[in-house]
Amino acid sequence: MQQLSEEVYRKEINSVFPTIYDTIVHIYVIDRGWLSFLNSGGVSELSENYYLQLKNTIERIVAETSDKSMEELGKMQEELAVRFRSFVEQLDNIEEIYPSGEFQARCVDYIQHMVNHGTYHRGNVTAMLRQLGIAGTPTDYAYYLYQLKHH
């Protein structure tokens, strides 16, 4: 994707997000949010103040990305991936229960959700690229493993 022009990334498309760029920013913002959630061990009380802080944090992170090139966004995502790997490596118990207000789930369940979220939106990007007449990168994991072995 990094070989494509900024014009392609920012071209308006009738899709889930208005542009590919907006989709990539969304993935990054949400991944940062989930990592913060996981680092704090969850959130016990989902108060009005919590939601206000969350909204402000999201707006701040979106603003941080507004003038970035796709290459710069990629580097930001790579840095976030390093921080996420560090979190996972330091986990004592991936089965630990993390609260989210009245709801609770295992840490591993939140991680699985985070992975599913990214996969879903990478599929959106692939569809958006096809709408623009550009062949996207295959997103199938089995295909990825096959390519690793045979190339």
Side-chain angles (χ1 to χ4, degrees):
M1 275 192 41
Q2 290 184 355
Q3 288 117 15
L4 300 175
S5 70
E6 286 293 320
E7 180 183 346
V8 169
Y9 298 131
R10 295 182 186 268
K11 182 160 181 59
E12 296 265 335
I13 303 169
N14 187 15
S15 190
V16 175
F17 290 91
T19 68
I20 290 170
Y21 188 88
D22 291 327
T23 311
I24 301 301
V25 166
H26 171 78
I27 294 169
Y28 175 75
V29 169
I30 299 305
D31 283 357
R32 273 202 38 192
W34 276 114
L35 183 56
S36 177
F37 173 89
L38 292 170
N39 274 324
S40 67
V43 177
S44 296
E45 187 179 336
L46 299 177
S47 64
E48 191 174 320
N49 188 46
Y50 170 79
Y51 284 115
L52 181 60
Q53 287 178 345
L54 183 60
K55 180 180 178 282
N56 290 337
T57 299
I58 289 169
E59 288 172 359
R60 181 180 47 78
I61 296 169
V62 169
E64 287 173 14
T65 65
S66 67
D67 62 346
K68 302 295 185 208
S69 68
M70 193 57 86
E71 183 179 350
E72 290 170 313
L73 272 180
K75 287 179 182 170
M76 291 168 71
Q77 189 69 39
E78 287 171 16
E79 291 166 5
L80 184 59
V82 168
R83 290 174 33 212
F84 185 76
R85 273 189 218 97
S86 176
F87 166 80
V88 171
E89 288 167 358
Q90 294 174 20
L91 270 177
D92 291 327
N93 178 10
I94 200 164
E95 300 284 330
E96 184 177 344
I97 302 296
Y98 283 32
S100 183
E102 293 180 18
F103 177 77
Q104 60 183 16
R106 299 173 305 162
C107 178
V108 68
D109 296 324
Y110 290 111
I111 293 170
Q112 181 66 53
H113 171 71
M114 198 174 151
V115 170
N116 287 341
H117 176 261
T119 300
Y120 172 75
H121 288 304
R122 283 191 306 279
N124 294 150
V125 169
T126 298
M128 294 166 87
L129 287 169
R130 286 192 182 124
Q131 281 180 269
L132 295 171
I134 301 167
T137 301
T139 58
D140 184 83
Y141 187 63
Y143 179 77
Y144 167 75
L145 293 175
Y146 175 82
Q147 290 294 102
L148 281 179
K149 185 165 178 76
H150 292 92
H151 293 300

